[in-house]
Amino acid sequence: MAKILCVLYDDPVDGYPNSYPRDGLPSLNGYPGGQTLPSPKTIDFMPGRLLGSVSGELGLRKFLERQGHSLFVTADKDGPNSRFEKELPDADVVISQPFWPAYLTAERFAKAKKLRLAITAGIGSDHVDLQAAIERGVTVAEITYSNSISVSEHVVMMILSLVRNYLPSYGWVIRGGWNIADCASRSYDLEGMHVGTVAAGRIGTAVLRRLKPFEVKLHYTDRHRLPAAVEKELGVTFHPGVEEMVKVCDVVTINAPLHPETEHMFNDALIGKMKRGAYLVNTARGKICDRDAVVRALESGQLAGYAGDVWFPQPAPKDHPWRTMPHHGMTPHISGTSLSAQARYAAGVREILECWFENRPIRDEYLIVQGGALAGAGAHSYSAGDATKGAGEAALFQQ
Ligand code: NDP
């Protein structure tokens, strides 16, 4: 029987909810492009409930315990004395979410002698040292597409809030003001601006589709080019390199995975090549941007605004400079964990576990590493190596 160790974020400060603002969720037929929704044999949770926090348990307990497996759920994930690190040595399966990542570093892999499967409840397995997973023959899988549309909606929201100066204007209302000039002196229309995405995968393409009706000029760069028909439909210009693209854009949105190729891509040099007063929105991964270069660019005016929901490490230490830098619209890592997204990725985790315990293959589109190599979706979008260095700093959040 297997031991499943699951790391989830804490319940709300007022306790696990008894009620929700809405009844149920809209039903979807599938993902854009034809990928089917997660398809476990059955589920033991109510879609629309909070599943991603400790008490939600991703709706897995009944399913696992019925089969004699044991489930340990904790939010205590950082440092050598954490519950996660104590339970790790005899865990067969680890489940973690990017929003509250249990960093599976090479050191932790060395302690996890029994570990065979690491599931990311969501998308983005950079909190796992993929090189170590490859070397130890551990399978890594994520729930591809489960929250891609959720993130693309968040990106559009953040672009509009930066360009139109929404958050500071809302702040004036809360403070009892009516300071129209203060609000308007940093507020523009998005119409006519050049907007570019770094990567046009599931999220990047969904962002382009959602922005098209705003009458902007669209751009993208990616390792693989979109089909000509899609480029034409969206009226989007391809750039072979990121430098060439950022030079012409007023707004840049980052939608690539974090892997050794993209780590610290947005450093002083690249930000310096952007138009003065450009906006940068990063909902991909914090480490794709150089933390201090972003702060410098906002202070100098090279960037007019920065927004996103991804930080490094997570949770961000209390004194992380992105909490206090000027002209930012940061949130905690939430874009991919709406109640809608949680229902999909909880079902996806269950689907993967059903396959694993019944010795059936996991869908190719969910695989990142298998059999000692990048596999499936991972082979397409990631590169081997480690992007978890420095994760230990997450323990500073507690201090
Ligand atoms: P996809 O795999 O569909 O798309 C990723 C795209 O990035 C692919 O088209 C890939 O190219 C491209 N890419 C990889 N490396 C580079 C590079 N060096 N330069 C340019 N493009 C590159 O993933 P999603 O769109 O679903 O998700 C993207 C990322 O967003 C995730 O990896 C995750 O980090 C983040 N994310 C954030 C969430 C949040 O809550 N904030 C939730 C979900 C995801 P190709 O395949 O052509 O090689």
Side-chain angles (χ1 to χ4, degrees):
M1 291 297 108
K3 172 175 171 178
I4 290 91
L5 178 55
C6 185
V7 176
L8 299 174
Y9 45 77
D10 283 311
D11 287 344
V13 286
D14 294 332
Y16 192 74
N18 297 317
S19 66
Y20 293 85
R22 294 178 54 78
D23 303 320
L25 299 172
S27 70
L28 305 177
N29 296 324
Y31 297 118
Q35 186 186 313
T36 53
L37 295 168
S39 49
K41 289 178 180 164
T42 180
I43 50 169
D44 297 310
F45 60 82
M46 191 82 88
R49 299 272 164 90
L50 184 62
L51 301 166
S53 74
V54 169
S55 297
E57 300 184 320
L58 294 174
L60 291 173
R61 186 167 293 281
K62 273 194 205 153
F63 158 66
L64 291 170
E65 291 185 345
R66 259 199 313 265
Q67 302 184 39
H69 303 304
S70 53
L71 174 67
F72 288 80
V73 182
T74 183
D76 182 17
K77 69 182 185 70
D78 295 309
N81 297 321
S82 60
R83 175 99 195 271
F84 175 62
E85 205 147 322
K86 286 188 180 140
E87 298 291 347
L88 193 56
D90 59 346
D92 301 276
V93 178
V94 164
I95 304 170
S96 173
Q97 297 176 110
F99 323 104
W100 187 255
Y103 293 103
L104 264 176
T105 56
E107 297 72 42
R108 282 176 161 178
F109 266 110
K111 291 181 187 167
K113 301 271 187 254
K114 290 182 71 189
L115 185 64
R116 307 303 326 137
L117 174 65
I119 304 177
T120 301
I123 303 173
S125 297
D126 48 273
H127 60 283
V128 179
D129 180 337
L130 296 183
Q131 189 60 40
I134 288 169
E135 286 160 17
R136 290 177 174 273
V138 175
T139 297
V140 181
E142 59 185 50
I143 324 300
T144 303
Y145 235 139
S146 57
N147 54 16
S148 306
I149 301 302
S150 325
V151 178
S152 71
E153 291 185 2
H154 210 83
V155 171
V156 174
M157 173 185 82
M158 287 188 147
I159 291 175
L160 287 169
S161 25
L162 286 183
V163 173
R164 301 205 55 88
N165 206 30
Y166 168 57
L167 290 169
S169 309
Y170 177 76
W172 280 113
V173 169
I174 300 294
R175 294 196 298 276
W178 192 257
N179 299 49
I180 294 173
D182 291 278
C183 304
S185 56
R186 292 190 68 88
S187 174
Y188 295 89
D189 292 352
L190 184 63
E191 184 184 29
M193 286 192 178
H194 290 257
V195 184
T197 173
V198 179
R202 294 173 185 85
I203 297 175
T205 308
V207 170
L208 292 171
R209 282 194 196 290
R210 278 155 184 73
L211 285 176
K212 188 172 184 311
F214 283 89
E215 313 259 347
V216 291
K217 297 174 181 83
L218 295 172
H219 302 260
Y220 81 103
T221 180
D222 199 297
R223 301 195 301 191
H224 300 89
R225 204 155 167 178
L226 290 168
V230 176
E231 281 189 5
K232 192 164 173 228
E233 175 207 338
L234 296 173
V236 61
T237 305
F238 173 71
H239 299 266
V242 66
E243 284 188 16
E244 178 190 328
M245 185 189 83
V246 302
K247 277 183 194 161
V248 299
C249 287
D250 304 286
V251 181
V252 173
T253 151
I254 306 174
N255 299 297
L258 169 65
H259 54 128
E261 234 178 77
T262 55
E263 189 169 350
H264 294 147
M265 181 185 253
F266 280 80
N267 53 17
D268 284 311
L270 187 62
I271 295 174
K273 295 206 161 74
M274 297 174 77
K275 284 188 188 174
R276 190 191 78 84
Y279 303 90
L280 186 54
V281 170
N282 178 13
T283 52
R285 284 297 178 261
K287 249 194 190 180
I288 296 177
C289 295
D290 175 321
R291 186 190 73 175
D292 298 330
V294 168
V295 178
R296 283 190 285 273
L298 288 168
E299 284 172 353
S300 72
Q302 174 60 15
L303 287 178
Y306 181 94
D309 66 332
V310 286
W311 309 63
F312 187 82
Q314 291 188 174
K318 300 257 164 33
D319 62 353
H320 194 294
W322 288 4
R323 291 182 187 269
T324 47
M325 62 191 179
H327 313 304
H328 82 80
M330 295 298 297
T331 63
H333 192 165
I334 54 161
S335 66
T337 188
S338 57
L339 295 173
S340 325
Q342 289 175 41
R344 290 188 292 272
Y345 66 68
V349 170
R350 172 137 177 189
E351 180 189 329
I352 290 173
L353 288 170
E354 286 178 0
C355 292
W356 184 258
F357 292 128
E358 293 166 19
N359 282 319
R360 287 188 285 119
I362 295 169
R363 293 190 203 200
D364 224 32
E365 62 238 36
Y366 290 169
L367 286 174
I368 304 300
V369 172
Q370 193 177 45
L374 291 172
H380 193 75
S381 295
Y382 287 81
S383 58
D386 169 28
T388 65
K389 281 185 278 311
E393 221 195 307
L396 297 177
F397 179 72
Q398 307 296 348
Q399 292 169 9

